[in-house]
Amino acid sequence: YVEPLDAMKTRLAARIDADAEKVRQRFLTPGDGMQFVYREKFEQAQAVQQMGEAAANALPSETAEKQFPTLCAGLGFDAPTLWGCAEIVLDKFAEFSALTLTIERVRLSAKAAIRAAGDHASVRAAYEAAAWPT
């Protein structure tokens, strides 16, 4: 049996997407709920950054926890101040954004190479050429 070329392209393009997700998951805690937590922390960190360090750190703890509950969970664990927690989240977001850029470039270029390939060997070579970040 020789797999039809279009079927092989479809299968390996889907595998590229799955491979990209595996790479992302090496750097994230999996789960839909955790994705929500990441988004919430990021949005709260942005709001804290807009307040400025002095204003953020001057908030009474009850007020801070009401306004920034997910970010405040890291107080004493991630950093000693609300501002410090926000900085850590924003730094991690920037690092992951740079990683995402690389992953997306690999993913999209591999899928384009697979689509453009004219024979089975070229499709396989395009799939295998994907150089994922480690």
Side-chain angles (χ1 to χ4, degrees):
Y1 168 77
V2 175
E3 183 178 22
L5 186 59
D6 286 342
M8 182 183 193
K9 286 181 177 186
T10 298
R11 180 176 58 80
L12 290 182
R15 200 158 147 197
I16 286 291
D17 289 338
D19 292 347
E21 184 61 13
K22 285 179 189 173
V23 172
R24 283 189 291 270
Q25 289 303 316
R26 282 189 266 159
F27 302 92
L28 295 171
T29 304
D32 293 338
M34 200 63 222
Q35 298 303 319
F36 176 79
V37 170
Y38 284 142
R39 173 54 61 191
E40 192 172 67
K41 276 187 176 184
F42 176 68
E43 290 171 359
Q44 291 175 16
Q46 287 180 309
V48 166
Q49 185 180 46
Q50 289 173 357
M51 293 177 81
E53 183 174 6
N57 289 340
L59 286 175
S61 60
E62 286 182 17
T63 303
E65 287 181 12
K66 284 181 183 175
Q67 288 182 341
F68 311 108
T70 308
L71 192 60
C72 283
L75 282 169
F77 301 107
D78 295 332
T81 65
L82 182 60
W83 180 262
C85 288
E87 283 187 315
I88 288 170
V89 168
L90 294 172
D91 288 346
K92 286 181 180 183
F93 183 85
E95 289 172 15
F96 189 71
S97 291
L99 179 65
T100 298
L101 171 66
T102 302
I103 293 169
E104 276 300 283
R105 282 186 175 154
V106 171
R107 185 182 77 82
L108 295 174
S109 65
K111 289 177 78 168
I114 288 169
R115 279 192 306 274
D119 58 49
H120 289 80
S122 298
V123 171
R124 169 66 57 198
Y127 172 79
E128 291 175 354
W132 300 105
T134 55

